[in-house]
Amino acid sequence: MFDTLRTQFRSLAPAVDFCALRIVDESSEQIMVRQNLLQPLTTSIDRGAMVTIMHRGGYGYAATSDLTVAGLKDAIARAQAWAVASAGRSVIDYSTIAMPRPTGRYASPVRANAPEASRKDLIALLMRESAACQIDARIVDWSASIGTMSTRQLYLTADGGDLEQQFSFVIPNLSVTANQGADTQTRTLGGQYNGYCRQGGLEVLNDAGFYGSGARIAAQAIELLNAPNCPTGSMDLLLMPGQMMLQIHESIGHPLELDRILGDERNFAGTSFVTLDMFGHFQYGSPLLNVTHDPSRGEQFASYGWDDDGQPAEKAYVIRAGVLERPLGGAISQARAGVEGVANARACSWNRAPIDRMANLNIEPGSSSLEAMIGSVERGVLMDTNVSWSIDDSRNKFQFGCESGRLIEDGQLKGVVKNPNYRGISESFWRSLKAVGDASTVDVMGTPFCGKGEPSQVIRVGHASPACLFANVDVFGGQD
């Protein structure tokens, strides 16, 4: 199919300043067992193309699921009409933007020794983990699921650009809910947002700790029922990667998206407390904070070789030693703002135009072991796995809750606490960072559910992070 479309597109492309075709061919399957019952399998196939045209300063695009010659002709005509109509009326003269004409290939890494499993094998695995959840009569709901997805993407420009990228995704999850009287507690494998989603093959299941997770997660849910509520007060807070993922996403990722800073998202997803004049000097966090945008890290959920406007992916610091260096903005937003960004113009599918999206946004590991961080705390709480979040529309003031917590007293890890929550303000929170875990504390997380844009786009994001220790955070628990 791709070879045919290459030939057809180049024969149909009009004489304009820039013309590109992005084709997406995606298939997915979701297998779930709930309370030992196999749920209806969900499968989908999604295939289509987006035409982008820039001409005489105007910009237009059009999508189609009709990949015949007639369908491509129609999409090209519509995109060209929009480019003509917008010329001289846009926020920027698009003729000033040098769009890439890239060539190359990219594929998700799959380990040579990755296990193979049929659909029957995966159902049997889910049945075993589901059955293993039933360790106590107080377990009232439980489920286990595995999602797989395969995506092929072709990006062509009329004047020679030719990119082909192939992605393989695995999304495991397991959830157990326990109840006793008026108290209900849920524990999950990686959070309700499918935190252990990664690129690769079925080796992802082993990396995520899926095997044996049924009994383990169920035991943690029962443990929460028996635990006291999290204490309230100002204290040290040790966040594990399962919560750091959400903290990075909401209070670094979204506020640094350049189209949001430029005001494009104000009507729907909000603005940002970050302004263009902050880049290069603003102290976003403590000197221990180093944040990178790294789509080249293959096993992460949002890795790629090039973004959807053809910019090559590379690792870039957005915050270094606590100082804000660059925003998360693709080629078009960079030209509008006059600042250097990253390769992150991304679309959720063929029927959406690329916009500025975080991809793999990671905190670089530090030098502290988990034991050393715990040992440095006189009074605090360790929290893991996000369960709730609230943040204002400028991504500044926030309140987050976790599934599980552990008290830390006089340098010792103590008992489990339930309903742990904390609140803060983004810049003062990150400036309170007083220790960053070493490589042994890092976990690779992500989510398939990052929403943004009008019309809405729900996209894949990756976050790798070590455990991190923060000082004097406002911590609070549930009601006794």
Side-chain angles (χ1 to χ4, degrees):
M1 179 186 70
F2 280 5
D3 288 341
T4 300
L5 289 169
R6 283 184 175 95
T7 303
Q8 291 175 345
F9 169 66
R10 294 208 166 102
S11 68
L12 296 171
V16 293
D17 296 337
F18 177 79
C19 183
L21 179 72
R22 177 171 50 86
I23 303 157
V24 180
D25 183 6
E26 184 168 278
S27 60
S28 63
E29 181 171 271
Q30 174 84 0
I31 307 174
M32 174 181 282
V33 170
R34 182 177 181 186
Q35 297 184 19
N36 304 336
L37 295 175
L38 178 64
Q39 304 300 294
L41 270 64
T42 302
T43 62
S44 69
I45 297 173
D46 195 19
R47 183 182 298 128
M50 172 73 76
V51 176
T52 299
I53 289 179
M54 296 180 180
H55 190 56
R56 296 180 180 175
Y59 174 59
Y61 54 85
T64 181
S65 59
D66 181 358
L67 299 182
T68 66
V69 169
L72 292 178
K73 276 185 177 179
D74 178 68
I76 289 170
R78 286 186 285 122
Q80 189 169 3
W82 279 114
V84 171
S86 63
R89 300 177 176 88
S90 300
V91 294
I92 189 172
D93 180 351
Y94 286 92
S95 66
T96 63
I97 303 175
M99 296 298 289
R101 273 76 166 176
T103 59
R105 300 291 182 269
Y106 175 86
S108 297
V110 178
R111 291 180 203 156
N113 61 347
E116 295 184 3
S118 66
R119 183 184 292 163
K120 181 179 178 181
D121 294 334
L122 293 178
I123 291 172
L125 170 61
L126 292 173
M127 286 290 193
R128 289 195 300 272
E129 294 302 335
S130 174
C133 294
Q134 295 179 271
I135 64 169
D136 191 291
R138 291 171 290 177
I139 301 294
V140 295
D141 194 17
W142 62 98
S143 64
S145 65
I146 297 172
T148 56
M149 185 180 301
S150 177
T151 304
R152 292 181 67 211
Q153 191 162 309
L154 179 66
Y155 181 81
L156 304 171
T157 66
D159 50 2
D162 191 319
L163 293 178
E164 191 168 338
Q165 303 192 81
Q166 187 161 343
F167 307 101
S168 175
F169 305 98
V170 178
I171 309 169
N173 202 3
L174 187 138
S175 176
V176 181
T177 298
N179 171 263
Q180 182 171 275
D183 190 12
T184 300
Q185 297 291 325
T186 297
R187 198 73 172 96
T188 63
L189 179 71
Q192 58 183 304
Y193 315 113
N194 302 98
Y196 278 113
C197 51
R198 297 183 185 179
Q199 288 190 40
L202 292 180
E203 74 275 7
V204 171
L205 300 180
N206 186 63
D207 295 345
F210 189 80
Y211 300 100
S213 60
R216 183 176 73 252
I217 299 299
Q220 293 173 7
I222 294 297
E223 188 177 34
L224 287 173
L225 279 185
N226 298 324
N229 271 305
C230 179
T232 295
S234 178
M235 63 190 75
D236 284 355
L237 175 64
L238 178 56
L239 294 183
M240 301 302 289
Q243 174 59 22
M244 283 300 300
M245 174 188 79
L246 190 280
Q247 187 70 56
I248 296 165
H249 186 97
E250 299 293 351
S251 66
I252 294 180
H254 281 309
L256 294 193
E257 288 168 336
L258 187 49
D259 56 357
R260 182 190 293 268
I261 294 170
L262 292 170
D264 293 1
E265 287 289 315
R266 184 185 303 271
N267 188 52
F268 180 58
T271 61
S272 174
F273 73 91
V274 175
T275 56
L276 288 176
D277 59 358
M278 291 180 177
F279 291 98
H281 65 88
F282 180 72
Q283 194 72 34
Y284 203 99
S286 85
L288 298 174
L289 181 63
N290 293 284
V291 183
T292 57
H293 185 265
D294 190 7
S296 66
R297 184 169 176 167
E299 79 277 18
Q300 281 194 258
F301 202 43
S303 298
Y304 46 85
W306 296 261
D307 73 5
D308 289 338
D309 277 340
Q311 276 193 292
E314 59 183 5
K315 181 177 180 177
Y317 278 83
V318 295
I319 299 172
R320 195 192 312 252
V323 176
L324 185 60
E325 288 197 352
R326 67 173 72 191
L328 302 175
I332 292 175
S333 291
Q334 290 176 47
R336 287 174 58 190
V339 297
E340 187 176 12
V342 297
N344 75 320
R346 304 173 61 212
C348 66
S349 190
W350 57 270
N351 57 4
R352 295 290 188 270
I355 57 178
D356 295 339
R357 306 301 298 265
M358 66 185 101
N360 296 334
L361 191 64
N362 306 328
I363 289 184
E364 295 296 300
S367 59
S368 298
S369 68
L370 185 61
E371 292 75 15
M373 287 189 287
I374 293 170
S376 70
V377 174
E378 181 177 344
R379 179 174 180 264
V381 180
L382 177 154
M383 295 189 194
D384 194 13
T385 314
N386 181 259
V387 72
S388 66
W389 81 101
S390 176
I391 191 165
D392 68 22
D393 63 0
S394 64
R395 301 289 155 163
N396 198 20
K397 297 178 181 179
F398 63 82
Q399 177 175 303
F400 298 143
C402 295
E403 288 181 5
S404 179
R406 294 281 300 273
L407 292 177
I408 306 174
E409 296 175 350
D410 299 323
Q412 298 291 320
L413 201 59
K414 300 295 185 179
V416 172
V417 292
K418 61 189 172 187
N419 305 321
N421 301 268
Y422 65 99
R423 60 172 67 95
I425 298 173
S426 291
E427 62 179 86
S428 58
F429 178 80
W430 289 108
R431 290 175 184 175
S432 75
L433 178 65
K434 69 175 188 177
V436 177
D438 60 22
S440 69
T441 72
V442 172
D443 209 349
V444 177
M445 311 290 287
T447 178
F449 303 129
C450 179
K452 182 183 168 183
E454 291 184 288
S456 180
Q457 300 195 39
V458 177
I459 209 164
R460 297 177 279 264
V461 189
H463 299 296
S465 177
C468 289
L469 180 62
F470 301 85
N472 302 318
V473 178
D474 187 7
V475 169
F476 61 102
Q479 297 296 316
D480 290 319

